[in-house]
Amino acid sequence: MGGPAEPHEPRGEGAGRPRDDDENFGFTDPAFDEDPEYARRRGGAYSDGPGFSPDAGYSPDAGYSESAGYARSTAYRDDDVGDEYEAPVFTEEELEGLGPEGGGGPRRVLPLEDEPTTLVARYLFPTERYRGEWKRHWIHLSTPLGIGAGATLALGYLAGFLTRQNINGLVTVAVLIWLAVISWVAWKVFDWYFDRFILTNKRVMVVNGIITRRVAMMPLLRVTDMKYEQSALGRLLSYGTFVLESAGQDQALREVKHLPNPNELYLRVVEEMYEPQAVEARLGKDTDGDDA
């Protein structure tokens, strides 16, 4: 036992830890001899370092990248907040199918002029954009023309028969009846000629009548449903009947019969209702091409 000046070491405390100057100190547990991981660790040199390396677990460039997980230009932009609405831009390919020669879009429906006729121009206000006007299909005249042809044959035969019978007074009456029928047919033809279905960017209109003029119109914004009907003869001769439904109870314009090329006309009206910007873009493109 040492003297009073020597430090006293507690029993068992010094025996359980290595001496600072023993480089070959190690602890072997036979229970872990079969563990390859334990054997690998035993084979390495013992280090009394802190167990931390500045370069082992952290790298300034490993977990964070300015361009990897967050991009200011992909999902959100600060300068988008508060911007005004910008009209969509249509490419040449998108407008190609909508032109007069386009395969899938509405084709050019004749007659379609750049400027309204004098008959129609008086009913348009200055800020309204004219889209076209159409006369009814010639089938609209089938009834009066048929009556005129039948009256000509019947009264011609009757006049000949009365002439052979030397009944001149009745022949004069037959001729007067024939002239009245032909005058009525001519009236119907003139009425058909001045009858117009008109489309603008604001409304659809029907104008008809020679002496007594009737103008009916419906705003496009009020059209809730629109359809056209074609019979077998209508599909053969390319005409149909348009039926317009509105939110209001009283409709000045509901059914328009015998319109030509109903499929193309239907597409044109629907496009004006739902894609007015595409119409403006296409018409602007056509104008530029014509000016060139």
Side-chain angles (χ1 to χ4, degrees):
M1 187 171 181
E6 296 179 0
H8 175 70
E9 182 177 15
R11 180 176 297 181
E13 184 179 350
R17 60 183 181 182
R19 292 167 47 190
D20 296 337
D21 56 350
D22 188 359
E23 297 179 355
N24 297 322
F25 176 80
F27 178 75
T28 302
D29 190 348
F32 294 93
D33 288 345
E34 300 298 328
D35 189 353
E37 182 66 17
Y38 179 77
R40 183 185 65 80
R41 293 181 180 178
R42 281 184 52 198
Y46 175 79
S47 173
D48 56 353
F52 173 78
S53 174
D55 300 329
Y58 174 76
S59 175
D61 300 328
Y64 176 77
S65 174
E66 292 288 344
S67 60
Y70 174 75
R72 298 178 62 86
S73 61
T74 55
Y76 178 80
R77 294 178 56 186
D78 294 335
D79 55 353
D80 288 342
V81 179
D83 287 350
E84 297 181 357
Y85 171 76
E86 296 182 0
V89 178
F90 298 94
T91 62
E92 296 290 334
E93 291 76 11
E94 292 174 334
L95 297 176
E96 184 177 357
L98 300 177
E101 292 82 12
R107 300 186 295 274
R108 196 173 182 87
V109 184
L110 297 177
L112 181 59
E113 304 294 338
D114 296 332
E115 297 294 333
T117 60
T118 306
L119 174 66
V120 174
R122 69 186 68 179
Y123 303 109
L124 304 180
F125 51 88
T127 58
E128 194 171 16
R129 298 188 178 181
Y130 169 81
R131 299 305 190 206
E133 59 185 84
W134 296 266
K135 292 194 295 287
R136 296 180 192 258
H137 194 271
W138 60 263
I139 199 70
H140 189 69
L141 296 174
S142 59
T143 299
L145 290 179
I147 293 176
T152 300
L153 293 176
L155 293 176
Y157 175 81
L158 180 60
F161 174 78
L162 294 175
T163 301
R164 290 193 297 270
Q165 299 297 325
N166 295 323
I167 308 176
N168 296 329
L170 293 180
V171 173
T172 303
V173 173
V175 172
L176 292 177
I177 293 175
W178 178 81
L179 291 175
V181 172
I182 294 302
S183 299
W184 177 79
V185 172
W187 177 272
K188 288 296 184 179
V189 172
F190 278 105
D191 186 68
W192 166 82
Y193 181 79
F194 289 104
D195 193 350
R196 293 288 194 278
F197 177 83
I198 306 158
L199 174 65
T200 71
N201 66 327
K202 301 292 185 182
R203 53 183 172 161
V204 291
M205 291 188 297
V206 172
V207 178
N208 56 16
I210 300 176
I211 297 177
T212 301
R213 184 63 53 86
R214 187 172 72 93
V215 180
M217 76 97 179
M218 179 180 293
L220 292 177
L221 294 177
R222 292 186 56 189
V223 177
T224 58
D225 188 21
M226 183 180 68
K227 65 179 180 180
Y228 72 90
E229 302 172 350
Q230 277 186 294
S231 62
L233 183 60
R235 296 187 63 184
L236 180 64
L237 300 179
S238 187
Y239 71 89
T241 299
F242 270 65
V243 180
L244 304 174
E245 297 291 343
S246 174
Q249 297 296 329
D250 296 331
Q251 301 179 27
L253 178 61
R254 185 181 184 274
E255 186 177 88
V256 186
K257 296 181 178 180
H258 304 146
L259 287 177
N261 303 313
N263 184 65
E264 288 81 358
L265 187 55
Y266 174 83
L267 292 177
R268 191 176 293 275
V269 175
V270 171
E271 185 185 28
E272 192 64 49
M273 293 171 58
Y274 297 104
E275 294 292 342
Q277 294 173 339
V279 178
E280 295 289 345
R282 187 181 72 250
L283 293 179
K285 175 184 175 182
D286 294 342
T287 302
D288 295 340
D290 294 340
D291 295 340

